[in-house]
Amino acid sequence: MRRSLLLAVLLLLAAPALARAAEPSLIERPQWQKPFADAGLTGTMVLRQEGSPEILVHNPARAATAFLPASTFKIPNSLIALETGAVSNPSEVFPYDGKPRYLPEWNANLTLAQAFAVSCVPVYQEIARRIGPERMAKYLADFHYGNADIGGGIDRFWLDGALRISALEQLDFLGRLHRRELPLRRQVMDDVLTMMITDKTPTAVLRAKTGLTARVSPNVGWYVGSVTRGPDVWYFALNLEAPDNNPAAVPARKKIALDILKMEGLWE
């Protein structure tokens, strides 16, 4: 009994130190400033290899600052939709209603996978309405997704409502998705990870999602995802400030992130 009690006390005393040891350390990468400077934009980038105790970072203060996720929210939105049955599978078709939409590629019948690929906002607003606020709030809390706040309307809380997430939190979420640690069926996570594939080379696979707010000031551009090379995986999250809907921010999101991945020898 005394030995068990002593062991329990020792574990309790050691818990804070163990928790601190488990926290990743941030390693700044000054050389990552150049791609942002070349684009004339302010932003942050974080990168972490699966299993590493270190997170590489440019602009750590911004990396810890939470912003609207914009269309990067299509990742958890897809997961919740498939898990709850709000969408039956990635091939389910969403009929086009005939109304002109913001982008020409949205003006068509689209499967879930196609809507994800072209980032069709109206389709994902319909998906969120099907899921409903009760289920949406529950899963975001279970995911520990940012502040998990769906205030502002079920079909717009990630666009101009209350939801906020930082680049560091995006990194953590992506890691748990890849490791299949979210409270979801494995098939659901497999399906969404497949939907996220945007490019392949003979040696690597890129999974990613863009995002760009359009109703707040200053607007925020996102590019988040992972690179898989053989058995190794790296997670990344970039966001940048897009003042006055600066058109340069649209291509810069992906270009800056890929330039940094190339600098680190992770992408060709």
Side-chain angles (χ1 to χ4, degrees):
M1 174 67 79
R2 288 181 178 178
R3 183 176 298 176
S4 299
L5 181 59
L6 177 60
L7 179 59
V9 171
L10 289 173
L11 289 172
L12 183 62
L13 291 173
L18 291 172
R20 287 194 298 272
E23 292 177 358
S25 56
L26 298 182
I27 308 298
E28 291 196 53
R29 280 288 202 262
Q31 60 268 40
W32 291 4
Q33 167 62 23
K34 187 178 186 305
F36 288 96
D38 289 348
L41 296 166
T42 298
T44 187
M45 171 89 166
V46 289
L47 176 67
R48 185 180 191 179
Q49 184 175 4
E50 173 61 42
S52 172
E54 298 177 345
I55 295 177
L56 308 182
V57 59
H58 165 66
N59 198 342
R62 185 178 176 94
T65 303
F67 299 98
L68 282 159
S71 282
T72 65
F73 185 71
K74 287 182 173 68
I75 301 172
N77 205 357
S78 298
L79 290 165
I80 299 167
L82 292 169
E83 178 68 19
T84 60
V87 179
S88 58
N89 58 67
S91 298
E92 180 174 335
V93 176
F94 291 80
Y96 174 46
D97 61 10
K99 299 177 182 177
R101 293 173 173 171
Y102 180 67
L103 295 176
E105 53 265 40
W106 295 359
N107 297 328
N109 296 337
L110 297 171
T111 66
L112 176 68
Q114 290 169 334
F116 185 92
V118 300
S119 206
C120 185
V121 172
V123 166
Y124 273 85
Q125 288 182 305
E126 168 61 23
I127 289 170
R129 289 190 290 267
R130 289 186 187 183
I131 293 168
E134 184 175 340
R135 293 191 295 186
M136 186 72 79
K138 175 190 179 299
Y139 277 100
L140 291 188
D142 290 347
F143 291 173
H144 304 290
Y145 187 86
N147 65 1
D149 190 338
I150 66 168
I154 187 58
D155 58 2
R156 58 190 313 114
F157 63 85
W158 68 95
L159 299 170
D160 56 12
L163 186 61
R164 297 290 186 278
I165 191 168
S166 70
L168 289 169
E169 289 169 330
Q170 292 263 27
L171 207 65
D172 176 69
F173 173 72
L174 290 165
R176 287 184 286 119
L177 169 58
H178 182 86
R179 294 189 297 273
R180 302 348 188 241
E181 292 176 353
L182 298 175
L184 304 168
R185 287 175 289 127
R186 185 181 183 90
Q187 184 62 54
V188 166
M189 293 181 278
D190 289 348
D191 285 343
V192 173
L193 286 166
T194 298
M195 285 166 49
M196 289 176 64
I197 295 173
T198 60
D199 202 359
K200 292 182 179 181
T201 72
T203 59
V205 177
L206 177 67
R207 292 176 171 85
K209 186 70 195 75
T210 55
L212 182 67
T213 63
R215 301 177 177 89
V216 296
S217 183
N219 284 294
V220 178
W222 285 99
Y223 194 59
V224 307
S226 66
V227 176
T228 302
R229 298 179 67 90
D232 299 318
V233 185
W234 288 261
Y235 312 108
F236 67 87
L238 171 144
N239 70 53
L240 49 79
E241 185 174 312
D244 301 319
N245 286 324
N246 186 341
V250 175
R253 297 168 297 174
K254 183 175 180 179
K255 183 179 187 305
I256 293 172
L258 293 182
D259 283 348
I260 290 172
L261 293 175
K262 290 172 185 176
M263 291 168 66
E264 296 295 326
L266 302 179
W267 193 249
E268 293 79 16

